[in-house]
Amino acid sequence: MNIDISTKHINRLAIPALISGISEPILSLTDAAIIGNIPINTAESLAAVGIVGTFLSMLIWIFGQTRSAISSIISQYLGANKINEVKNLPAQAILIITSLSLLIIVGTYPFTNSIFKLYNASGLILEYCSEYYKIRVFGFPFTLFTIAVFGTFRGLQNTFHPMIIAVVGALTNIVLDIVLVYGVEGLVAPMHIKGAAYASVIAQLLMALLSAFFILKKTDVPLMVKLPFNKEIKNFSLMVLNLFVRTLALNITLYFATRFATAYGKNYIAAYTIAINLWFFGAFVIDGYASAGNILSGKLFGAKQYSDLIKLSNTLIKYGIGLGIVLAVLGGILYYPIGRLFTQETAVLDEFYSVFWIVLAMQPLCALAFIFDGVFKGLGKMKILRNLLLASTFLVFVPTLFLLDNYNLKLHAVFIALTIWIIARGIPLIIKFRKLFLPLTQKQ
């Protein structure tokens, strides 16, 4: 089977995945922008959104790894012309992951204050964190359901329908944010930070419903769980377990970054919230091409087309670096208007502008790391990703952050440490990929 890796086909997969991917940070950015312009307790509200957003991102990334595992298995079986053998796997995976999400709600809801005290939240910030989280957590099962369906679509080489679902969800969230946070005179009372939380949950529910509709309407993959478990469920579980550990390490990075920023004061955590959400936005834009790498590498690996796999990686490197440079340049051009979009607080903006250039300079480096993350996920090489992220977090990021913090660099310490962490994640993956597959191309 000849698998298309032309630029046109890569873009056909990557651009819808890019649009789909940025819906997640758009939800957080929308909350930050709307909340950041509330006229009362702005810094405290913005700080709470940032802290809760970090914690929720941790949960979603840890349990949302089903997307990569499902995509990897489905795409490899598709490449080997054996797709019928794994059609019942997605429904089983969805059942497992949504069941775990319910346990997360039960296990975190009663301990909300204790959780966010670990992030150095206190006083009004802690109160807002609790209000916001106790609503938003109920969207968690819907998000994980949607993520698992997106993984199935990716494995089937379809990024178009996830894009439609994501765009509808993002637009719904934006409209509801404005209506519920600010209110509509005579119709809806302003709900402030609670309104932003309700808007997110409703948007997540709508995306889950659309996901179920499209997977049943546009594919022959069932959502009814049938036993016995698929033969690949063990492989799926091992992949997810490795990705769980990997993502825990990733979120330890974000935990320390957020904890340090919170300790510096409310203006610093508010500025960090804006900067890190913009970093997430850039990451998810680049993730469009990481998704194409994920989708096509799995299919090429399943078909044993190793030479094309090398060609694909070279193409993705060019696209990734180019896209990273474009993001950095656009951010530079819009440097000051971007900050004012989120808040008018001068003290917060001063801290944001002092570090935003680091976020922009990081973008081409992020592109390399994220794209090869996607490729290795498509190959099912989750153990390599796990070990590398553990090393880059505990041997690189954490020591660097503590060292730089010792020099009182504050937010500069956080974002310089993140930059070095990204380099430690990306370069070894490129070297490992070449070592694995260049010898195999010589045997073909």
Side-chain angles (χ1 to χ4, degrees):
M1 177 174 60
N2 186 31
I3 298 171
D4 188 0
I5 59 167
S6 66
T7 298
K8 183 178 180 181
H9 186 61
I10 290 171
N11 285 324
R12 190 181 295 127
L13 293 171
I15 292 173
L18 184 158
I19 296 170
S20 171
I22 62 174
S23 68
E24 186 173 327
I26 280 176
L27 296 181
S28 296
L29 283 169
T30 301
D31 282 358
I34 299 295
I35 293 297
N37 284 285
I38 292 176
I40 55 171
N41 300 322
T42 302
E44 289 86 354
S45 300
L46 195 53
V49 169
I51 294 167
V52 174
T54 298
F55 182 67
L56 282 172
S57 293
M58 177 193 73
L59 293 178
I60 291 168
W61 287 344
I62 289 173
F63 291 93
Q65 296 306 318
T66 45
R67 178 174 64 183
S68 296
I70 293 171
S71 176
S72 174
I73 293 169
I74 297 290
S75 62
Q76 288 182 37
Y77 271 77
L78 186 66
N81 286 320
K82 297 178 180 178
I83 190 64
N84 287 328
E85 296 181 17
V86 289
K87 278 188 179 176
N88 66 336
L89 178 66
Q92 294 171 355
I94 288 169
L95 174 65
I96 292 168
I97 204 65
T98 51
S99 298
L100 287 173
S101 72
L102 297 177
L103 293 177
I104 291 297
I105 294 175
V106 173
T108 61
Y109 192 91
F111 309 106
T112 302
N113 279 359
S114 298
I115 290 169
F116 294 113
K117 282 179 182 177
L118 293 173
Y119 286 82
N120 281 330
S122 61
L124 190 57
I125 292 176
L126 181 61
E127 183 183 328
Y128 284 161
C129 282
S130 181
E131 288 181 1
Y132 188 61
Y133 180 74
K134 284 184 174 180
I135 298 168
R136 275 211 63 181
V137 71
F138 287 101
F140 191 50
F142 306 131
T143 297
L144 293 187
F145 177 90
T146 301
I147 284 171
V149 171
F150 280 16
T152 305
F153 273 120
R154 282 189 181 187
L156 295 171
Q157 318 292 288
N158 181 340
T159 56
F160 177 75
H161 289 101
M163 177 189 72
I164 298 298
I165 296 164
V167 168
V168 171
L171 291 176
T172 300
N173 186 73
I174 291 169
V175 172
L176 289 176
D177 250 342
I178 295 169
V179 170
L180 297 180
V181 172
Y182 297 139
V184 177
E185 191 173 351
L187 294 174
V188 180
M191 299 173 70
H192 304 305
I193 197 167
K194 287 184 177 180
Y198 282 121
S200 295
V201 173
I202 294 168
Q204 289 163 326
L205 171 59
L206 177 60
M207 289 172 69
L209 292 172
L210 287 173
S211 297
F213 172 78
F214 280 121
I215 199 75
L216 293 173
K217 188 79 172 175
K218 301 298 181 180
T219 77
D220 55 358
V221 173
L223 287 179
M224 184 70 69
V225 178
K226 293 183 180 179
L227 298 177
F229 280 112
N230 189 277
K231 63 180 181 179
E232 284 289 342
I233 202 73
K234 181 180 179 181
N235 186 29
F236 166 80
S237 300
L238 287 173
M239 284 186 185
V240 170
L241 182 60
N242 280 320
L243 289 170
F244 275 8
V245 175
R246 174 186 178 274
T247 311
L248 276 172
L250 187 153
N251 282 286
I252 285 170
T253 297
L254 293 176
Y255 164 73
F256 274 107
T258 305
R259 193 176 191 279
F260 272 65
T262 305
Y264 300 142
K266 67 178 184 180
N267 292 325
Y268 289 93
I269 183 56
Y272 168 84
T273 296
I274 299 169
I276 202 67
N277 275 301
L278 288 168
W279 184 82
F280 286 143
F281 179 81
F284 280 97
V285 169
I286 294 164
D287 190 58
Y289 285 92
S291 297
N294 178 296
I295 293 164
L296 289 172
S297 64
K299 194 174 181 182
L300 290 167
F301 187 54
K304 297 181 169 38
Q305 294 180 211
Y306 304 122
S307 295
D308 285 338
L309 194 53
I310 295 291
K311 291 177 184 176
L312 173 68
S313 72
N314 292 336
T315 301
L316 290 174
I317 286 172
K318 293 174 186 175
Y319 269 108
I321 292 175
L323 189 57
I325 291 171
V326 168
L327 287 172
V329 171
L330 286 175
I333 293 170
L334 300 172
Y335 202 87
Y336 292 100
I338 285 174
R340 290 191 292 270
L341 181 67
F342 291 95
T343 185
Q344 303 301 316
E345 296 269 325
T346 303
V348 174
L349 286 172
D350 286 344
E351 299 304 330
F352 167 70
Y353 291 140
S354 74
V355 295
F356 187 39
W357 67 270
I358 305 175
V359 175
L360 297 178
M362 220 191 296
Q363 293 308 307
L365 299 171
C366 290
L368 291 175
F370 300 152
I371 281 173
F372 276 87
D373 266 358
V375 168
F376 272 81
K377 286 175 183 176
L379 299 171
K381 306 289 185 182
M382 313 307 186
K383 187 176 179 181
I384 293 172
L385 293 174
R386 179 200 69 190
N387 292 342
L388 179 61
L389 201 64
L390 285 170
S392 58
T393 295
F394 292 106
L395 300 180
V396 178
F397 175 79
V398 173
T400 302
L401 178 60
F402 275 88
L403 176 65
L404 296 177
D405 177 69
N406 194 49
Y407 289 97
N408 200 33
L409 294 178
K410 296 187 177 178
L411 288 188
H412 287 86
V414 172
F415 285 100
I416 291 170
L418 282 172
T419 303
I420 297 171
W421 175 71
I422 282 291
I423 294 170
R425 285 177 55 187
I427 302 303
L429 281 182
I430 297 172
I431 294 170
K432 185 68 175 177
F433 179 81
R434 301 279 172 172
K435 284 185 176 179
L436 283 173
F437 292 104
L438 279 175
L440 293 176
T441 62
Q442 295 167 6
K443 296 178 182 179
Q444 291 186 319

